[in-house]
């Protein structure tokens, strides 16, 4: 027993340190991905493991990729104006699948009224143009729900 | 186990347990290993930007047209500075993200060298045990010696990027030696013909390919245009038949399990060593002496090994 316990503690000590894993996705039909790429790069430089899925993703693709990758957070970038059509669908799908431990944040040109609506359906934060990268990094670090 | 019924979330969670060596994962891994040994494991390797992800997306199409279950383990490097990673292999494969019979997982190397991560091989056991027909491993964009994939896969596809070197590059040791199938990617480019001839010369001369009865082939593929994909998928299946007939299929499973043990062990030992070098005062002393030129590095190695083992 004692021996086993010490083996286990060695395993825990030496195992790779769990890093925050984030899915960064461009939702809908816009190709403006510079912001998403800059954020993805910044999260990497902050020590996170980032999966970038590229442009023109459907809510289904985003949610399924997030599930397969077992991420702690999803960062959705959207600049097309279709956020009120697409993001509720993402939140609905997560809910249907019983997922309540993935942090969802949104980045893009989102009007103030819509920010309130998005937050009411479970989006944790909305980052509008001009948000410092450090603020996004800190927010994710402080709000992911799973223990690292 | 709901993972056995194909529940994506359960599968994803098991993978996380295994990739982080969580204590509870040992048991799960053993259970799955009891059911593994059936999947065809295909390694896709090649330099950065040689078209591995795009090719995999196309191969998934081919395998799905035969209603096979497909898993992809896509490895990308971790940063040596921040230890973070930016993994973009999925971009080319997202078309398959909503297919319940395709499971794609990105994995960072986390300091492990050799072109895949220590956990990659353990994940092969997981997908194998869960009944996936084809397991595709996408290595990082490899350099010449990132050849760990040869211990893990039944069939190794080496991608050659046209226009990246003269004929001598095709004859060098390392990555160019391990292919069962060589693919000249981006065959729509004019330089592809030269690359094709160089690799063909290497094969005909008996220089390329592993030592076995299988004679490696070289194919021209344009994944973007969808050319040569069917031929490649057929060749991969032909290699599977050869592997089963020649017993290589089962030897490779043993080899992969041995390599899982070895790579995990070396990962642990390396970390333990780093730990000890930092925290043990005696060892630190020896290191300081080497740094200031008062001790030979070779002699220091002997002293450190004696203290540790």
């Amino acid at each position: 027993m004692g021996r086993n316990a010490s083996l286990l503690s060695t395993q825990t000590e030496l195992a790779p340190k769990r890093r925050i894993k984030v899915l960064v996705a461009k939702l809908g039909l816009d190709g403006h991905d510079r912001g998403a790429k800059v954020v993805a790069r910044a999260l990497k430089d902050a020590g996170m493991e980032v999966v970038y899925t590229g442009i023109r993703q459907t809510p289904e693709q985003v949610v399924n990729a997030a599930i397969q990758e077992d991420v702690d957070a999803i960062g959705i970038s959207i600049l097309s104006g279709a956020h009120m059509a697409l993001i509720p669908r993402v939140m609905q799908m997560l809910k249907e699948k019983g997922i309540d431990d993935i942090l969802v944040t949104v980045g893009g040109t989102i009007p103030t009224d819509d920010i309130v609506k998005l937050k009411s359906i479970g989006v944790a934060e909305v980052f509008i143009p001009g948000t410092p990268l450090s603020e996004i990094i800190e927010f994710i670090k402080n709000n992911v729900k799973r223990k690292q | 186990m709901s993972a056995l019924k194909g529940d994506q979330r359960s599968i994803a969670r098991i993978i996380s347990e295994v990739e982080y060596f969580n204590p509870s994962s040992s048991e799960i891994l053993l259970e799955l290993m009891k059911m593994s040994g059936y999947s065809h494991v295909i390694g896709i390797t090649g330099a950065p930007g040689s078209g591995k992800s795009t090719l995999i997306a196309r191969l998934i199409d081919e395998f799905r047209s035969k209603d096979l279950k497909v898993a992809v383990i896509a490895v990308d490097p971790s940063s040596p500075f921040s230890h973070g990673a930016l993994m973009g292999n999925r971009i080319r494969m997202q078309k398959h993200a909503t297919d319940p019979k395709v499971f794609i997982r990105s994995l960072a190397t986390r300091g492990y060298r050799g072109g895949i991560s220590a956990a990659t091989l353990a994940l092969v056991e997981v997908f194998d045990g869960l009944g996936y027909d084809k397991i595709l491993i996408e290595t990082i964009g490899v350099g010449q010696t990132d050849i760990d994939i040869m211990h893990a896969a039944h069939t190794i596809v080496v991608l050659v990027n046209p226009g990246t070197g003269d004929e001598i590059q095709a004859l060098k040791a390392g990555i160019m030696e391990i292919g069962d199938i060589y693919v000249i990617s981006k065959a729509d480019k004019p330089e592809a013909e030269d690359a094709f001839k160089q690799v063909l010369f290497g094969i005909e001369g008996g220089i390329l390919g592993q030592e076995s009865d299988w004679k490696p082939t070289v194919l021209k593929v344009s994944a973007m245009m969808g050319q040569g994909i069917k031929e490649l998928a057929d060749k991969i299946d032909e290699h599977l038949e050869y592997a089963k007939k020649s017993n290589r299929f089962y030897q490779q499973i043993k080899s992969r399990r041995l390599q899982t043990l070895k790579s995990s062990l070396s990962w642990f030992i390396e970390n333990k060593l780093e730990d000890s070098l930092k925290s043990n005062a005696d060892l630190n002393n020896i290191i300081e002496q080497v740094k200031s030129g008062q001790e030979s590095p070779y002699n220091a190695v002997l002293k450190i090994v004696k203290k540790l083992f």
Side-chain angles (χ1 to χ4, degrees):
Chain A
M1 171 62 205
R3 182 90 189 136
N4 259 340
S6 93
L7 260 179
L8 278 183
S9 83
T10 309
Q11 188 169 0
T12 318
E13 249 171 62
L14 291 177
K17 195 174 152 267
R18 206 185 138 76
R19 306 207 154 263
I20 296 175
K21 193 172 180 184
V22 186
L23 186 92
V24 174
K26 286 285 306 170
L27 191 61
L29 294 176
D30 83 275
H32 302 280
D33 60 351
R34 180 165 296 193
K37 284 174 179 163
V38 168
V39 169
R41 173 82 202 263
L43 298 179
K44 180 209 94 179
D45 289 341
M48 299 182 201
E49 291 186 344
V50 182
V51 179
Y52 181 52
T53 53
I55 57 173
R56 300 197 189 106
Q57 298 290 298
T58 64
E60 286 76 9
Q61 282 174 314
V62 171
V63 170
N64 280 356
I67 289 173
Q68 292 187 347
E69 297 288 353
D70 197 17
V71 295
D72 304 289
I74 303 175
I76 297 170
S77 163
I78 188 159
L79 294 157
S80 65
H83 50 271
M84 290 316 292
L86 296 171
I87 293 169
R89 177 78 191 124
V90 171
M91 303 313 291
Q92 182 64 30
M93 280 186 69
L94 289 170
K95 207 172 160 190
E96 279 165 15
K97 290 175 190 275
I99 298 168
D100 54 7
D101 55 358
I102 298 181
L103 182 78
V104 180
T105 60
V106 173
T109 44
I110 315 285
T112 316
D113 288 355
D114 291 346
I115 294 179
V116 176
K117 285 181 203 154
L118 289 174
K119 285 191 174 175
S120 76
I121 55 167
V123 171
E125 192 53 274
V126 178
F127 302 108
I128 56 173
T131 308
L133 290 168
S134 56
E135 198 179 310
I136 300 175
I137 293 165
E138 281 312 303
F139 185 84
I140 293 176
K141 275 189 182 166
N142 294 333
N143 290 283
V144 284
K145 293 165 191 169
R146 232 185 307 160
K147 276 226 159 76
Q148 299 306 314
Chain B
M1 217 196 287
S2 47
L4 285 171
K5 292 186 195 123
D7 179 60
Q8 303 248 315
R9 207 152 192 240
S10 314
I11 297 172
R13 280 290 157 90
I14 288 176
I15 293 171
S16 298
E17 295 283 309
V18 171
E19 72 168 295
Y20 278 107
F21 295 86
N22 284 352
S24 62
S25 66
S26 290
E27 215 171 303
I28 301 172
L29 195 54
L30 185 61
E31 282 307 307
L32 287 167
M33 278 176 73
K34 285 178 189 162
M35 295 181 279
S36 79
Y38 299 96
S39 308
H40 181 198
V41 184
I42 305 158
I44 309 285
T45 188
S50 53
K52 297 180 291 295
S53 309
T54 315
L55 185 71
I56 288 176
R58 292 285 190 177
L59 284 173
I60 299 174
D61 285 333
E62 287 296 322
F63 296 143
R64 289 297 297 127
S65 73
K66 294 174 187 159
D67 199 30
L68 299 171
K69 266 176 83 178
V70 185
V72 179
I73 306 168
V75 188
D76 257 330
S78 297
S79 160
F81 304 110
S82 71
H83 304 291
L86 179 47
M87 301 181 277
N89 296 317
R90 270 195 97 99
I91 297 173
R92 322 268 175 227
M93 308 174 201
Q94 271 301 88
K95 169 188 166 191
H96 302 284
T98 51
D99 183 339
K101 288 188 178 174
V102 177
F103 199 107
I104 302 164
R105 181 72 169 228
S106 314
L107 202 54
T109 51
R110 299 189 181 129
Y112 190 76
R113 291 176 293 272
I116 49 181
S117 82
T120 306
L121 302 165
L123 294 194
V124 171
E125 297 294 338
V126 171
F127 284 122
D128 192 343
L130 289 172
Y132 282 82
D133 301 295
K134 301 279 184 192
I135 302 172
L136 293 146
I137 304 173
E138 176 177 352
T139 69
I140 61 165
V142 295
Q144 289 171 315
T145 60
D146 296 322
I147 53 174
D148 272 8
I149 190 70
M150 69 184 261
H151 305 291
H154 293 113
T155 305
I156 294 174
V157 178
V158 176
L159 266 76
V160 180
N161 219 356
T164 48
D166 60 13
E167 69 279 7
I168 301 302
Q169 295 303 331
L171 307 179
K172 283 188 181 171
I175 187 74
M176 281 306 287
E177 288 181 289
I178 67 168
D180 298 304
I181 302 167
Y182 294 87
V183 166
I184 311 299
S185 60
K186 307 175 189 178
D188 44 293
K189 283 183 158 186
E191 304 94 310
E193 194 53 37
D194 275 348
F196 179 79
K197 282 182 193 154
Q198 285 155 12
V199 174
L200 189 64
F201 173 74
I203 291 172
E204 296 299 334
I207 300 157
L208 299 184
Q210 303 180 37
E211 266 181 41
S212 69
D213 303 331
W214 171 263
K215 191 181 172 205
T217 359
V218 53
L219 297 171
K220 279 186 283 186
V221 167
S222 168
M224 218 164 72
M225 306 295 192
Q227 286 160 3
I229 304 294
K230 174 88 176 55
E231 291 80 353
L232 174 60
D234 288 347
K235 197 43 103 174
I236 288 173
D237 278 340
E238 193 185 318
H239 186 263
L240 172 63
E241 268 174 45
Y242 152 79
K244 284 203 163 155
K245 261 188 222 147
S246 68
N247 212 31
R248 174 169 160 171
F249 190 86
Y250 301 100
Q251 282 165 2
Q252 276 305 90
I253 292 169
K254 286 188 178 168
S255 152
R256 144 186 126 205
R257 288 176 179 163
L258 174 64
Q259 192 62 24
T260 314
L261 169 66
K262 278 190 187 169
S263 58
S264 312
L265 191 60
S266 68
W267 203 94
F268 273 72
I269 288 177
E270 223 172 281
N271 281 285
K272 185 83 193 159
L273 182 65
E274 282 290 322
D275 247 33
S276 310
L277 290 182
K278 261 186 236 151
S279 55
N280 184 313
D282 285 353
L283 299 183
N284 229 317
N285 239 339
I286 301 173
I287 292 170
E288 286 308 319
Q289 285 176 342
V290 173
K291 277 167 133 179
S292 61
Q294 293 164 303
E295 174 65 286
S296 129
Y298 287 0
N299 209 27
V301 168
L302 295 179
K303 282 187 186 169
I304 291 170
V305 168
K306 227 178 234 170
K307 280 199 188 294
L308 284 178
F309 297 99

